[in-house]
Amino acid sequence: MNYSTILLAAGKGSRTHLSYNKVFYKLDSGKTVLETSLDLFLNDPDCREVVIVCAEHEIDAMKQLITPDARIRFATGGETRQDSVANGLKEVRNSYVFIHDAARPYLKKESLADLKDALQHEDACLLMIPSIDTVKLVENGYVVRTPRRDDVFRAQTPQCFKTSLIRSCHEQAALDRRQATDDAQLVEWYSDVPVRVVTGDEANIKITIPADLK
Ligand code: CTP
Ligand code: MG
């Protein structure tokens, strides 16, 4: 199945406390976070296009960093992650799109294969892992409810969609000026399309805080 990837790299990485955007951080392999995330998709022949979404002032640095590939294109980031995805979606040309945080360089190719399998029958799916912690809902500093732990999962990326579906959900959210926590939530809000859970991998962390930098 052919698909496009939106690789989100337009954040600031402020919580990592580096003096620069965390996607430029060099991992033990010698490759940066951005290159590592990018290569996983470029090594998949089904991935026909990667739209890297980045801040205007970092486009040149990113172009210098990555090995040129005819499938790579660039889009400009927005104020929020959701705005960045919306900008990336304007550039997407395939019928299916994988939306991925560049800050998740430990994604495995087996997970990509599982997502592609799911898309044979579904129009929306995402990687999720079961919560090992008990999660409690809290209001004003008091616990109001404890969901069954078996019902609680943590969302990761990639999140994958039929392009026409996620585009229309983003357009409606923009009209409503509503910000979701992730792209799957926009599908939950603005469509009846079921969002399929694909079991992910604990290693697929999003580099967020200093402890994630190794
Ligand atoms: N991102 C983006 N555009 C934004 C904000 C975030 O493309 N306006 C991207 C980031 O580059 C990252 C991913 O979305 O790959 C996940 O966001 P997050 O982990 O929050 O990264 P940052 O926003 O960069 O980090 P922080 O919130 O700590 O500043
Ligand atoms: Mg952020």
Side-chain angles (χ1 to χ4, degrees):
M1 64 136 340
N2 296 345
Y3 66 91
S4 296
T5 299
I6 293 177
L7 196 58
L8 295 164
K12 294 190 172 74
S14 43
R15 284 170 290 174
T16 50
H17 300 308
L18 293 167
S19 57
Y20 54 90
N21 182 351
K22 62 192 177 184
V23 302
F24 290 109
Y25 181 78
K26 236 183 212 166
L27 299 169
D28 282 346
S29 63
K31 284 204 293 189
T32 59
V33 169
L34 177 73
E35 292 168 279
T36 310
S37 304
L38 176 64
D39 283 352
L40 190 87
F41 288 98
L42 292 179
N43 287 333
D44 179 3
D46 290 342
C47 176
R48 298 303 167 102
E49 169 183 70
V50 180
V51 178
I52 300 177
V53 185
C54 66
E56 194 117 52
H57 69 278
E58 287 179 340
I59 289 193
D60 288 341
M62 288 198 191
K63 283 185 176 160
Q64 271 176 22
L65 184 66
I66 60 184
T67 317
D69 186 298
R71 287 173 291 171
I72 299 175
R73 300 169 49 223
F74 288 87
T76 311
E79 192 75 32
T80 65
R81 183 186 179 282
Q82 187 170 315
D83 297 334
S84 291
V85 175
N87 288 353
L89 276 172
K90 290 183 191 133
E91 302 299 323
V92 166
R93 297 173 184 159
N94 281 275
S95 308
Y96 289 90
V97 61
F98 283 42
I99 301 172
H100 187 57
D101 297 325
R104 292 185 190 266
Y106 304 115
L107 174 65
K108 298 212 171 108
K109 65 172 188 288
E110 291 78 8
S111 294
L112 270 190
D114 291 344
L115 290 163
K116 287 191 280 183
D117 282 349
L119 284 183
Q120 302 292 334
H121 314 283
E122 314 281 348
D123 285 348
C125 65
L126 80 164
L127 290 183
M128 301 242 276
I129 46 176
S131 177
I132 48 177
D133 292 320
T134 296
V135 173
K136 294 185 186 286
L137 304 184
V138 172
E139 276 171 28
N140 302 320
Y142 289 91
V143 171
V144 286
R145 198 162 70 80
T146 304
R148 266 168 32 99
R149 204 174 57 195
D150 289 353
D151 294 339
V152 178
F153 288 74
R154 289 190 284 142
Q156 301 180 333
T157 70
Q159 302 196 354
C160 314
F161 309 94
K162 198 170 179 182
T163 307
S164 53
L165 168 70
I166 193 67
R167 249 191 204 131
S168 96
C169 294
H170 266 271
E171 282 162 11
Q172 291 179 70
L175 286 174
D176 287 355
R177 298 178 196 279
R178 250 177 126 184
Q179 292 283 331
T181 309
D182 64 356
D183 296 285
Q185 189 174 27
L186 294 176
V187 174
E188 295 157 41
W189 282 348
Y190 292 113
S191 86
D192 298 325
V193 173
V195 178
R196 180 70 181 172
V197 175
V198 175
T199 303
D201 185 275
E202 288 282 354
N204 182 27
I205 62 158
K206 178 166 67 66
I207 293 177
T208 306
I209 57 173
D212 301 330
L213 298 165
K214 39 184 181 238

PDB file of all heavy atoms in Angstrom, residues 7-17 21-23 53-55 77-85 100-104 206-209, ligand 1:
ATOM      1  N   LEU A   7       6.202  14.176   8.648  1.00  0.00           N
ATOM      2  CA  LEU A   7       7.167  14.050   9.738  1.00  0.00           C
ATOM      3  C   LEU A   7       7.256  15.412  10.431  1.00  0.00           C
ATOM      4  O   LEU A   7       7.726  16.403   9.840  1.00  0.00           O
ATOM      5  CB  LEU A   7       8.516  13.624   9.153  1.00  0.00           C
ATOM      6  CG  LEU A   7       9.545  13.073  10.127  1.00  0.00           C
ATOM      7  CD1 LEU A   7       9.016  11.843  10.880  1.00  0.00           C
ATOM      8  CD2 LEU A   7      10.821  12.685   9.378  1.00  0.00           C
ATOM      9  N   LEU A   8       6.793  15.438  11.674  1.00  0.00           N
ATOM     10  CA  LEU A   8       6.665  16.720  12.375  1.00  0.00           C
ATOM     11  C   LEU A   8       7.942  17.068  13.118  1.00  0.00           C
ATOM     12  O   LEU A   8       8.354  16.356  14.030  1.00  0.00           O
ATOM     13  CB  LEU A   8       5.516  16.616  13.380  1.00  0.00           C
ATOM     14  CG  LEU A   8       4.151  16.428  12.739  1.00  0.00           C
ATOM     15  CD1 LEU A   8       3.155  15.953  13.771  1.00  0.00           C
ATOM     16  CD2 LEU A   8       3.690  17.723  12.089  1.00  0.00           C
ATOM     17  N   ALA A   9       8.533  18.190  12.737  1.00  0.00           N
ATOM     18  CA  ALA A   9       9.813  18.596  13.341  1.00  0.00           C
ATOM     19  C   ALA A   9       9.827  20.088  13.650  1.00  0.00           C
ATOM     20  O   ALA A   9      10.890  20.675  13.825  1.00  0.00           O
ATOM     21  CB  ALA A   9      10.957  18.234  12.392  1.00  0.00           C
ATOM     22  N   ALA A  10       8.661  20.701  13.708  1.00  0.00           N
ATOM     23  CA  ALA A  10       8.592  22.162  13.819  1.00  0.00           C
ATOM     24  C   ALA A  10       8.424  22.665  15.249  1.00  0.00           C
ATOM     25  O   ALA A  10       8.092  23.826  15.463  1.00  0.00           O
ATOM     26  CB  ALA A  10       7.459  22.693  12.946  1.00  0.00           C
ATOM     27  N   GLY A  11       8.674  21.786  16.231  1.00  0.00           N
ATOM     28  CA  GLY A  11       8.575  22.229  17.619  1.00  0.00           C
ATOM     29  C   GLY A  11       9.852  22.923  18.062  1.00  0.00           C
ATOM     30  O   GLY A  11      10.790  23.103  17.287  1.00  0.00           O
ATOM     31  N   LYS A  12       9.882  23.280  19.345  1.00  0.00           N
ATOM     32  CA  LYS A  12      11.066  23.951  19.900  1.00  0.00           C
ATOM     33  C   LYS A  12      11.857  23.009  20.805  1.00  0.00           C
ATOM     34  O   LYS A  12      13.015  23.252  21.101  1.00  0.00           O
ATOM     35  CB  LYS A  12      10.645  25.186  20.714  1.00  0.00           C
ATOM     36  CG  LYS A  12      10.013  26.271  19.858  1.00  0.00           C
ATOM     37  CD  LYS A  12       9.838  27.555  20.669  1.00  0.00           C
ATOM     38  CE  LYS A  12       9.382  28.717  19.807  1.00  0.00           C
ATOM     39  NZ  LYS A  12       7.953  28.599  19.431  1.00  0.00           N
ATOM     40  N   GLY A  13      11.199  21.942  21.263  1.00  0.00           N
ATOM     41  CA  GLY A  13      11.875  21.005  22.170  1.00  0.00           C
ATOM     42  C   GLY A  13      12.229  21.652  23.491  1.00  0.00           C
ATOM     43  O   GLY A  13      13.251  21.311  24.096  1.00  0.00           O
ATOM     44  N   SER A  14      11.377  22.555  23.969  1.00  0.00           N
ATOM     45  CA  SER A  14      11.754  23.326  25.165  1.00  0.00           C
ATOM     46  C   SER A  14      11.936  22.447  26.403  1.00  0.00           C
ATOM     47  O   SER A  14      12.817  22.700  27.222  1.00  0.00           O
ATOM     48  CB  SER A  14      10.730  24.429  25.427  1.00  0.00           C
ATOM     49  OG  SER A  14       9.433  23.940  25.248  1.00  0.00           O
ATOM     50  N   ARG A  15      11.143  21.369  26.531  1.00  0.00           N
ATOM     51  CA  ARG A  15      11.217  20.554  27.751  1.00  0.00           C
ATOM     52  C   ARG A  15      12.490  19.705  27.839  1.00  0.00           C
ATOM     53  O   ARG A  15      12.805  19.175  28.897  1.00  0.00           O
ATOM     54  CB  ARG A  15       9.978  19.648  27.859  1.00  0.00           C
ATOM     55  CG  ARG A  15       8.745  20.403  28.293  1.00  0.00           C
ATOM     56  CD  ARG A  15       7.507  19.553  28.154  1.00  0.00           C
ATOM     57  NE  ARG A  15       7.154  19.316  26.749  1.00  0.00           N
ATOM     58  CZ  ARG A  15       6.176  18.511  26.348  1.00  0.00           C
ATOM     59  NH1 ARG A  15       5.484  17.830  27.249  1.00  0.00           N
ATOM     60  NH2 ARG A  15       5.907  18.368  25.062  1.00  0.00           N
ATOM     61  N   THR A  16      13.233  19.578  26.740  1.00  0.00           N
ATOM     62  CA  THR A  16      14.500  18.827  26.811  1.00  0.00           C
ATOM     63  C   THR A  16      15.618  19.689  27.389  1.00  0.00           C
ATOM     64  O   THR A  16      16.683  19.182  27.727  1.00  0.00           O
ATOM     65  CB  THR A  16      14.957  18.332  25.423  1.00  0.00           C
ATOM     66  OG1 THR A  16      14.924  19.427  24.530  1.00  0.00           O
ATOM     67  CG2 THR A  16      14.113  17.192  24.920  1.00  0.00           C
ATOM     68  N   HIS A  17      15.375  21.026  27.459  1.00  0.00           N
ATOM     69  CA  HIS A  17      16.378  21.979  27.971  1.00  0.00           C
ATOM     70  C   HIS A  17      17.679  21.955  27.185  1.00  0.00           C
ATOM     71  O   HIS A  17      18.748  22.244  27.738  1.00  0.00           O
ATOM     72  CB  HIS A  17      16.663  21.743  29.466  1.00  0.00           C
ATOM     73  CG  HIS A  17      15.446  21.894  30.324  1.00  0.00           C
ATOM     74  ND1 HIS A  17      14.636  22.997  30.277  1.00  0.00           N
ATOM     75  CD2 HIS A  17      14.879  21.059  31.221  1.00  0.00           C
ATOM     76  CE1 HIS A  17      13.628  22.852  31.118  1.00  0.00           C
ATOM     77  NE2 HIS A  17      13.750  21.675  31.695  1.00  0.00           N
ATOM     78  N   ASN A  21      16.607  22.775  18.940  1.00  0.00           N
ATOM     79  CA  ASN A  21      15.494  21.851  18.691  1.00  0.00           C
ATOM     80  C   ASN A  21      15.965  20.403  18.825  1.00  0.00           C
ATOM     81  O   ASN A  21      16.914  19.980  18.158  1.00  0.00           O
ATOM     82  CB  ASN A  21      14.958  22.128  17.275  1.00  0.00           C
ATOM     83  CG  ASN A  21      13.766  21.258  16.906  1.00  0.00           C
ATOM     84  OD1 ASN A  21      13.407  20.324  17.615  1.00  0.00           O
ATOM     85  ND2 ASN A  21      13.156  21.577  15.768  1.00  0.00           N
ATOM     86  N   LYS A  22      15.271  19.634  19.672  1.00  0.00           N
ATOM     87  CA  LYS A  22      15.696  18.255  19.996  1.00  0.00           C
ATOM     88  C   LYS A  22      15.834  17.339  18.784  1.00  0.00           C
ATOM     89  O   LYS A  22      16.535  16.330  18.856  1.00  0.00           O
ATOM     90  CB  LYS A  22      14.716  17.639  21.003  1.00  0.00           C
ATOM     91  CG  LYS A  22      13.278  17.515  20.475  1.00  0.00           C
ATOM     92  CD  LYS A  22      12.314  17.188  21.594  1.00  0.00           C
ATOM     93  CE  LYS A  22      10.869  17.144  21.090  1.00  0.00           C
ATOM     94  NZ  LYS A  22       9.917  16.930  22.191  1.00  0.00           N
ATOM     95  N   VAL A  23      15.175  17.655  17.675  1.00  0.00           N
ATOM     96  CA  VAL A  23      15.286  16.759  16.511  1.00  0.00           C
ATOM     97  C   VAL A  23      16.693  16.798  15.900  1.00  0.00           C
ATOM     98  O   VAL A  23      17.061  15.923  15.126  1.00  0.00           O
ATOM     99  CB  VAL A  23      14.218  17.023  15.417  1.00  0.00           C
ATOM    100  CG1 VAL A  23      12.808  16.888  15.994  1.00  0.00           C
ATOM    101  CG2 VAL A  23      14.425  18.341  14.711  1.00  0.00           C
ATOM    102  N   VAL A  53       7.783  18.702   8.162  1.00  0.00           N
ATOM    103  CA  VAL A  53       7.241  19.996   8.580  1.00  0.00           C
ATOM    104  C   VAL A  53       8.238  20.603   9.555  1.00  0.00           C
ATOM    105  O   VAL A  53       8.561  20.004  10.582  1.00  0.00           O
ATOM    106  CB  VAL A  53       5.863  19.837   9.257  1.00  0.00           C
ATOM    107  CG1 VAL A  53       5.278  21.204   9.566  1.00  0.00           C
ATOM    108  CG2 VAL A  53       4.921  19.036   8.373  1.00  0.00           C
ATOM    109  N   CYS A  54       8.754  21.778   9.196  1.00  0.00           N
ATOM    110  CA  CYS A  54       9.761  22.390  10.064  1.00  0.00           C
ATOM    111  C   CYS A  54       9.618  23.908  10.086  1.00  0.00           C
ATOM    112  O   CYS A  54       8.952  24.501   9.236  1.00  0.00           O
ATOM    113  CB  CYS A  54      11.161  21.978   9.638  1.00  0.00           C
ATOM    114  SG  CYS A  54      11.652  22.569   8.056  1.00  0.00           S
ATOM    115  N   ALA A  55      10.249  24.492  11.103  1.00  0.00           N
ATOM    116  CA  ALA A  55      10.205  25.947  11.242  1.00  0.00           C
ATOM    117  C   ALA A  55      10.978  26.566  10.080  1.00  0.00           C
ATOM    118  O   ALA A  55      11.991  26.011   9.640  1.00  0.00           O
ATOM    119  CB  ALA A  55      10.831  26.356  12.572  1.00  0.00           C
ATOM    120  N   GLY A  77       6.108  24.869   9.533  1.00  0.00           N
ATOM    121  CA  GLY A  77       5.390  24.565  10.765  1.00  0.00           C
ATOM    122  C   GLY A  77       4.441  25.671  11.172  1.00  0.00           C
ATOM    123  O   GLY A  77       4.527  26.800  10.687  1.00  0.00           O
ATOM    124  N   GLY A  78       3.543  25.323  12.082  1.00  0.00           N
ATOM    125  CA  GLY A  78       2.588  26.301  12.604  1.00  0.00           C
ATOM    126  C   GLY A  78       2.818  26.536  14.087  1.00  0.00           C
ATOM    127  O   GLY A  78       3.739  25.976  14.684  1.00  0.00           O
ATOM    128  N   GLU A  79       1.952  27.360  14.652  1.00  0.00           N
ATOM    129  CA  GLU A  79       2.037  27.727  16.076  1.00  0.00           C
ATOM    130  C   GLU A  79       1.914  26.493  16.975  1.00  0.00           C
ATOM    131  O   GLU A  79       2.680  26.317  17.910  1.00  0.00           O
ATOM    132  CB  GLU A  79       0.888  28.707  16.374  1.00  0.00           C
ATOM    133  CG  GLU A  79       0.956  29.420  17.690  1.00  0.00           C
ATOM    134  CD  GLU A  79       2.010  30.520  17.676  1.00  0.00           C
ATOM    135  OE1 GLU A  79       2.248  31.130  16.603  1.00  0.00           O
ATOM    136  OE2 GLU A  79       2.585  30.743  18.740  1.00  0.00           O
ATOM    137  N   THR A  80       0.953  25.627  16.673  1.00  0.00           N
ATOM    138  CA  THR A  80       0.746  24.405  17.465  1.00  0.00           C
ATOM    139  C   THR A  80       1.041  23.188  16.586  1.00  0.00           C
ATOM    140  O   THR A  80       1.106  23.291  15.365  1.00  0.00           O
ATOM    141  CB  THR A  80      -0.716  24.290  17.945  1.00  0.00           C
ATOM    142  OG1 THR A  80      -1.552  24.124  16.777  1.00  0.00           O
ATOM    143  CG2 THR A  80      -1.155  25.526  18.706  1.00  0.00           C
ATOM    144  N   ARG A  81       1.170  22.029  17.255  1.00  0.00           N
ATOM    145  CA  ARG A  81       1.396  20.792  16.504  1.00  0.00           C
ATOM    146  C   ARG A  81       0.251  20.581  15.500  1.00  0.00           C
ATOM    147  O   ARG A  81       0.478  20.172  14.358  1.00  0.00           O
ATOM    148  CB  ARG A  81       1.478  19.611  17.488  1.00  0.00           C
ATOM    149  CG  ARG A  81       1.793  18.274  16.814  1.00  0.00           C
ATOM    150  CD  ARG A  81       1.707  17.146  17.830  1.00  0.00           C
ATOM    151  NE  ARG A  81       1.985  15.850  17.238  1.00  0.00           N
ATOM    152  CZ  ARG A  81       1.134  15.155  16.506  1.00  0.00           C
ATOM    153  NH1 ARG A  81      -0.082  15.632  16.249  1.00  0.00           N
ATOM    154  NH2 ARG A  81       1.481  13.975  16.011  1.00  0.00           N
ATOM    155  N   GLN A  82      -0.981  20.859  15.943  1.00  0.00           N
ATOM    156  CA  GLN A  82      -2.123  20.670  15.043  1.00  0.00           C
ATOM    157  C   GLN A  82      -2.009  21.554  13.793  1.00  0.00           C
ATOM    158  O   GLN A  82      -2.302  21.104  12.689  1.00  0.00           O
ATOM    159  CB  GLN A  82      -3.424  20.976  15.805  1.00  0.00           C
ATOM    160  CG  GLN A  82      -4.684  20.664  15.027  1.00  0.00           C
ATOM    161  CD  GLN A  82      -5.921  20.760  15.907  1.00  0.00           C
ATOM    162  OE1 GLN A  82      -5.922  20.247  17.034  1.00  0.00           O
ATOM    163  NE2 GLN A  82      -6.959  21.411  15.439  1.00  0.00           N
ATOM    164  N   ASP A  83      -1.562  22.793  13.984  1.00  0.00           N
ATOM    165  CA  ASP A  83      -1.358  23.686  12.833  1.00  0.00           C
ATOM    166  C   ASP A  83      -0.282  23.118  11.911  1.00  0.00           C
ATOM    167  O   ASP A  83      -0.372  23.222  10.674  1.00  0.00           O
ATOM    168  CB  ASP A  83      -0.911  25.085  13.286  1.00  0.00           C
ATOM    169  CG  ASP A  83      -1.967  25.785  14.131  1.00  0.00           C
ATOM    170  OD1 ASP A  83      -3.161  25.475  13.979  1.00  0.00           O
ATOM    171  OD2 ASP A  83      -1.586  26.640  14.956  1.00  0.00           O
ATOM    172  N   SER A  84       0.762  22.547  12.502  1.00  0.00           N
ATOM    173  CA  SER A  84       1.843  21.969  11.687  1.00  0.00           C
ATOM    174  C   SER A  84       1.320  20.798  10.851  1.00  0.00           C
ATOM    175  O   SER A  84       1.651  20.677   9.669  1.00  0.00           O
ATOM    176  CB  SER A  84       2.997  21.495  12.579  1.00  0.00           C
ATOM    177  OG  SER A  84       3.651  22.599  13.163  1.00  0.00           O
ATOM    178  N   VAL A  85       0.491  19.958  11.467  1.00  0.00           N
ATOM    179  CA  VAL A  85      -0.086  18.831  10.707  1.00  0.00           C
ATOM    180  C   VAL A  85      -0.940  19.372   9.560  1.00  0.00           C
ATOM    181  O   VAL A  85      -0.842  18.901   8.419  1.00  0.00           O
ATOM    182  CB  VAL A  85      -0.940  17.912  11.620  1.00  0.00           C
ATOM    183  CG1 VAL A  85      -1.628  16.829  10.792  1.00  0.00           C
ATOM    184  CG2 VAL A  85      -0.087  17.276  12.707  1.00  0.00           C
ATOM    185  N   HIS A 100       3.667  11.334  11.872  1.00  0.00           N
ATOM    186  CA  HIS A 100       4.633  10.848  12.870  1.00  0.00           C
ATOM    187  C   HIS A 100       5.429  11.996  13.470  1.00  0.00           C
ATOM    188  O   HIS A 100       5.858  12.908  12.761  1.00  0.00           O
ATOM    189  CB  HIS A 100       5.586   9.842  12.197  1.00  0.00           C
ATOM    190  CG  HIS A 100       6.503   9.146  13.161  1.00  0.00           C
ATOM    191  ND1 HIS A 100       6.045   8.421  14.245  1.00  0.00           N
ATOM    192  CD2 HIS A 100       7.858   9.045  13.203  1.00  0.00           C
ATOM    193  CE1 HIS A 100       7.076   7.911  14.911  1.00  0.00           C
ATOM    194  NE2 HIS A 100       8.194   8.285  14.313  1.00  0.00           N
ATOM    195  N   ASP A 101       5.653  11.917  14.790  1.00  0.00           N
ATOM    196  CA  ASP A 101       6.524  12.877  15.472  1.00  0.00           C
ATOM    197  C   ASP A 101       7.968  12.543  15.112  1.00  0.00           C
ATOM    198  O   ASP A 101       8.434  11.433  15.419  1.00  0.00           O
ATOM    199  CB  ASP A 101       6.395  12.730  17.003  1.00  0.00           C
ATOM    200  CG  ASP A 101       5.006  13.045  17.519  1.00  0.00           C
ATOM    201  OD1 ASP A 101       4.345  13.941  16.955  1.00  0.00           O
ATOM    202  OD2 ASP A 101       4.585  12.392  18.503  1.00  0.00           O
ATOM    203  N   ALA A 102       8.688  13.499  14.567  1.00  0.00           N
ATOM    204  CA  ALA A 102      10.122  13.260  14.309  1.00  0.00           C
ATOM    205  C   ALA A 102      10.840  12.940  15.613  1.00  0.00           C
ATOM    206  O   ALA A 102      11.883  12.285  15.606  1.00  0.00           O
ATOM    207  CB  ALA A 102      10.741  14.491  13.646  1.00  0.00           C
ATOM    208  N   ALA A 103      10.283  13.368  16.741  1.00  0.00           N
ATOM    209  CA  ALA A 103      10.898  13.131  18.058  1.00  0.00           C
ATOM    210  C   ALA A 103      10.740  11.693  18.546  1.00  0.00           C
ATOM    211  O   ALA A 103      11.088  11.383  19.680  1.00  0.00           O
ATOM    212  CB  ALA A 103      10.303  14.103  19.077  1.00  0.00           C
ATOM    213  N   ARG A 104      10.224  10.794  17.685  1.00  0.00           N
ATOM    214  CA  ARG A 104      10.113   9.362  18.044  1.00  0.00           C
ATOM    215  C   ARG A 104      11.006   8.552  17.109  1.00  0.00           C
ATOM    216  O   ARG A 104      10.526   7.934  16.154  1.00  0.00           O
ATOM    217  CB  ARG A 104       8.667   8.870  17.911  1.00  0.00           C
ATOM    218  CG  ARG A 104       7.717   9.463  18.915  1.00  0.00           C
ATOM    219  CD  ARG A 104       6.327   8.813  18.787  1.00  0.00           C
ATOM    220  NE  ARG A 104       5.356   9.519  19.565  1.00  0.00           N
ATOM    221  CZ  ARG A 104       5.020   9.199  20.809  1.00  0.00           C
ATOM    222  NH1 ARG A 104       5.577   8.165  21.407  1.00  0.00           N
ATOM    223  NH2 ARG A 104       4.117   9.902  21.458  1.00  0.00           N
ATOM    224  N   LYS A 206       8.540   9.240  22.826  1.00  0.00           N
ATOM    225  CA  LYS A 206       8.735  10.572  22.254  1.00  0.00           C
ATOM    226  C   LYS A 206       9.784  11.264  23.110  1.00  0.00           C
ATOM    227  O   LYS A 206       9.580  11.437  24.325  1.00  0.00           O
ATOM    228  CB  LYS A 206       7.435  11.372  22.263  1.00  0.00           C
ATOM    229  CG  LYS A 206       7.604  12.786  21.722  1.00  0.00           C
ATOM    230  CD  LYS A 206       6.272  13.435  21.416  1.00  0.00           C
ATOM    231  CE  LYS A 206       5.446  13.713  22.637  1.00  0.00           C
ATOM    232  NZ  LYS A 206       6.035  14.739  23.540  1.00  0.00           N
ATOM    233  N   ILE A 207      10.886  11.628  22.527  1.00  0.00           N
ATOM    234  CA  ILE A 207      11.924  12.339  23.285  1.00  0.00           C
ATOM    235  C   ILE A 207      11.325  13.657  23.762  1.00  0.00           C
ATOM    236  O   ILE A 207      10.905  14.491  22.946  1.00  0.00           O
ATOM    237  CB  ILE A 207      13.185  12.542  22.422  1.00  0.00           C
ATOM    238  CG1 ILE A 207      13.824  11.172  22.142  1.00  0.00           C
ATOM    239  CG2 ILE A 207      14.167  13.489  23.101  1.00  0.00           C
ATOM    240  CD1 ILE A 207      15.028  11.207  21.235  1.00  0.00           C
ATOM    241  N   THR A 208      11.215  13.803  25.075  1.00  0.00           N
ATOM    242  CA  THR A 208      10.499  14.958  25.630  1.00  0.00           C
ATOM    243  C   THR A 208      11.293  15.668  26.724  1.00  0.00           C
ATOM    244  O   THR A 208      11.385  16.896  26.724  1.00  0.00           O
ATOM    245  CB  THR A 208       9.125  14.507  26.209  1.00  0.00           C
ATOM    246  OG1 THR A 208       8.408  13.793  25.203  1.00  0.00           O
ATOM    247  CG2 THR A 208       8.292  15.709  26.649  1.00  0.00           C
ATOM    248  N   ILE A 209      11.856  14.888  27.664  1.00  0.00           N
ATOM    249  CA  ILE A 209      12.562  15.483  28.813  1.00  0.00           C
ATOM    250  C   ILE A 209      14.037  15.072  28.771  1.00  0.00           C
ATOM    251  O   ILE A 209      14.399  14.145  28.028  1.00  0.00           O
ATOM    252  CB  ILE A 209      11.902  15.051  30.150  1.00  0.00           C
ATOM    253  CG1 ILE A 209      11.875  13.520  30.257  1.00  0.00           C
ATOM    254  CG2 ILE A 209      10.497  15.629  30.281  1.00  0.00           C
ATOM    255  CD1 ILE A 209      11.403  13.009  31.607  1.00  0.00           C
TER     256      ILE A 209
HETATM  257  N1  CTP B   1       5.773  19.888  16.555  1.00  0.00           N
HETATM  258  C1  CTP B   1       5.519  20.561  15.366  1.00  0.00           C
HETATM  259  N2  CTP B   1       4.971  21.823  15.394  1.00  0.00           N
HETATM  260  C2  CTP B   1       4.656  22.416  16.561  1.00  0.00           C
HETATM  261  C3  CTP B   1       4.882  21.728  17.783  1.00  0.00           C
HETATM  262  C4  CTP B   1       5.441  20.461  17.762  1.00  0.00           C
HETATM  263  O1  CTP B   1       5.833  20.033  14.287  1.00  0.00           O
HETATM  264  N3  CTP B   1       4.132  23.654  16.550  1.00  0.00           N
HETATM  265  C5  CTP B   1       6.394  18.550  16.528  1.00  0.00           C
HETATM  266  C6  CTP B   1       7.700  18.444  17.328  1.00  0.00           C
HETATM  267  O2  CTP B   1       8.801  18.848  16.521  1.00  0.00           O
HETATM  268  C7  CTP B   1       7.734  16.995  17.740  1.00  0.00           C
HETATM  269  C8  CTP B   1       6.259  16.585  17.756  1.00  0.00           C
HETATM  270  O3  CTP B   1       5.519  17.621  17.114  1.00  0.00           O
HETATM  271  O4  CTP B   1       8.425  16.167  16.823  1.00  0.00           O
HETATM  272  C9  CTP B   1       5.750  16.300  19.154  1.00  0.00           C
HETATM  273  O5  CTP B   1       5.701  17.503  19.925  1.00  0.00           O
HETATM  274  P1  CTP B   1       6.506  17.769  21.277  1.00  0.00           P
HETATM  275  O6  CTP B   1       7.064  16.511  21.822  1.00  0.00           O
HETATM  276  O7  CTP B   1       5.649  18.597  22.145  1.00  0.00           O
HETATM  277  O8  CTP B   1       7.765  18.592  20.747  1.00  0.00           O
HETATM  278  P2  CTP B   1       8.130  20.116  20.986  1.00  0.00           P
HETATM  279  O9  CTP B   1       6.897  20.940  20.872  1.00  0.00           O
HETATM  280  O10 CTP B   1       9.266  20.412  20.102  1.00  0.00           O
HETATM  281  O11 CTP B   1       8.659  20.079  22.491  1.00  0.00           O
HETATM  282  P3  CTP B   1       8.193  21.032  23.717  1.00  0.00           P
HETATM  283  O12 CTP B   1       6.695  20.897  23.814  1.00  0.00           O
HETATM  284  O13 CTP B   1       8.922  20.460  24.895  1.00  0.00           O
HETATM  285  O14 CTP B   1       8.646  22.429  23.382  1.00  0.00           O
END
